[in-house]
Amino acid sequence: MKLETVLIVIVILAIIAYVTSYIMKKKHYQTINKLEQQKFELMDTPIADIIHNVKTLSLTGQTKKSFEQWKDRWKQIEMTAFPDIENLLFDAEQATDRLQLIKASKAETKTGELIKSTDEKTKEIQLALNELLKSEEKNSQAIKKVQEMYQGIRKKLLTQSFSFGVALDKLEKQLTFLELSFADFSELTSSGDHIEAEEVLGKVSQETKELNDAVTIIPSLVKEISHEFPAQIQELKEGYHELKDVQKFIFLEDTMTTDIAEVEKDIKQVEKLLEQCEIEEVQKLDVVIQEKINHLYDVMEAEINAKQLVAKEQPVLAEFIAFVNKRNKQLLIEIDRVSQSYKLEDTVFEQIKEIQEQIDESQQNFETFTNGMEKNQAVYTVVAESFAEDGEKLTRIEEKQEALITQLTDLRKEETEVKEKIDDFEFNMRGIKRYIEKQHLPGLPEEYLDLFFVTTERIEKLAKELNKLKIDMTEIKKMCDMCEDDVELLIDKTEEIVDSALLTEYMMQYANRYRNDHPEIGEVILESNTLFNKEFQYKESLEVISTALEIVEPGSFKKVESQYYEEKSRNAK
């Protein structure tokens, strides 16, 4: 039984081994077949046909040398890479037959890597050979575009030669050099050296483009340098002569002649650069010349505009000076009149003195510049600037004068207001006295009486100060403010005393209901009465009685207080 079992296990293992080896061999055969197919595809690359086609071009020079290099690289692949791939595939197949699967895997891996690297080299060779094959056609198309541009340049130089000025000779020489480059290109192309021809083509393309750019830009530069700049220089010279010698203008730090000569020197320099077709340098200097010419125009235009502005502003400024001067004299008279009745601050006199000095300074400037213009000795831009500054100064002076006029006018107004306030103070004091007497209080606290008499005395003193021949409104306003504060405080204190006294009486009447049941209330009433009738401390009296009642009946004070103020409000209506 045991022997049969062993035999069965052996048979099963053999079957498993056979099946496993079959599956593994089949897998490797599939990989080998796939690699074999890649090898055939690689060997079918039509490089040999391309090499044959390139040979028919009769190549020379650098092109032929390049072709030989690529052809040699293809031969190297045919002689080494393809046989190596074949050998590796044979080794993999043989190893698989013998179940040397690890050896087979290594051979397959090397074969795949060699096929991949060979494929990359083959594509590189194929691409390079195709480029050589197309180089003649590509160069032919490129040179055609360059030649079209060249013909356009040549036509412009022939038909528009006048527009290139001093640059024409240099441009024609450059055109001649281009013709030589075209000849070199044609010779290289005819001989089959397409790589060298392509290098020449790149150079001639760049030179043609640069020449075309120059031919496009130069006419506008020639027009400006040869025609516009000289015309502007002549206009500047004539304009300067007209302004200085005929109209007698004077320029501040006059360097006009030197500046014009410097621009003429720059124009000669830019003409030399233009003759050599140094376009970039010409453009830079061209900008500098434009800026210098514009500056010279601006200098003359500024003086012309300044003269027109001065002619317009001169009578306005003269009238303005006369106006503030007259007003200042009137202010001096008014200050003198007001100072007889009011004490003025020293700053008022200092301001009016300073204002007069500024007016005199503006008047002197105006007369100096006016005399200078009459004698043709004035720089109008300087005069215009001075007139503008004086105009601003006179505007500030006018504002200061307005402020002083308001200040003087306000003194009379303030005096009237203080008199009205004194009447109000006296009226309020009489009202306070009648009101407090009406309450028939047993007396008044000493501090209240002090406040009443101090306030009365202060009001009387204020009235006396106001009746003086020359009054100090600054001091009077301070005293008036103090009186106002005292009267308001006295009104508040009066209300406080009356409210405290009447509330105390209300609280005593309310407390009498508890006198029999609470003996301590009786004592408190006596204490409160003493404070009320003998010491006249109504607030303290109210505090004593209300505190005691709150103990007996919490909330009683708020209750009585509310009733009192409700009744007071009804009586006020």
Side-chain angles (χ1 to χ4, degrees), residues 153-154 156-175 211 215 218 222 274-277:
I153 296 169
R154 189 168 178 275
K156 281 184 181 179
L157 291 177
L158 286 171
T159 60
Q160 302 173 25
S161 58
F162 62 91
S163 66
F164 297 99
V166 294
L168 182 62
D169 289 344
K170 184 72 174 180
L171 292 172
E172 288 178 339
K173 285 179 183 178
Q174 289 178 351
L175 194 67
L211 183 58
V215 167
I218 285 174
V222 169
L274 185 61
E275 188 175 358
Q276 296 303 314
C277 293

Side-chain angles (χ1 to χ4, degrees), residues 310 313-315 317-318 321 362-378 380 383 386-387:
V310 167
E313 293 297 325
Q314 188 176 7
L317 187 61
I321 293 171
S362 293
Q363 177 73 42
Q364 186 177 356
N365 285 343
F366 180 79
E367 291 173 357
T368 300
F369 284 121
T370 300
N371 292 334
M373 287 186 287
E374 290 171 356
K375 297 176 182 178
N376 295 319
Q377 295 175 346
Y380 284 105
V383 176
S386 177
F387 278 11

Side-chain angles (χ1 to χ4, degrees), residues 484-497:
E484 195 166 21
D485 292 341
D486 288 346
V487 170
E488 287 178 3
L489 179 61
L490 189 61
I491 290 171
D492 292 341
K493 289 293 182 182
T494 302
E495 285 294 331
E496 182 184 308
I497 287 172

Side-chain angles (χ1 to χ4, degrees), residues 33-51:
N33 289 337
K34 186 178 179 181
L35 291 169
E36 188 85 25
Q37 181 63 34
Q38 291 176 1
K39 180 196 75 172
F40 286 134
E41 290 174 358
L42 193 59
M43 294 177 72
D44 286 342
T45 304
I47 291 181
D49 295 337
I50 298 172
I51 289 172

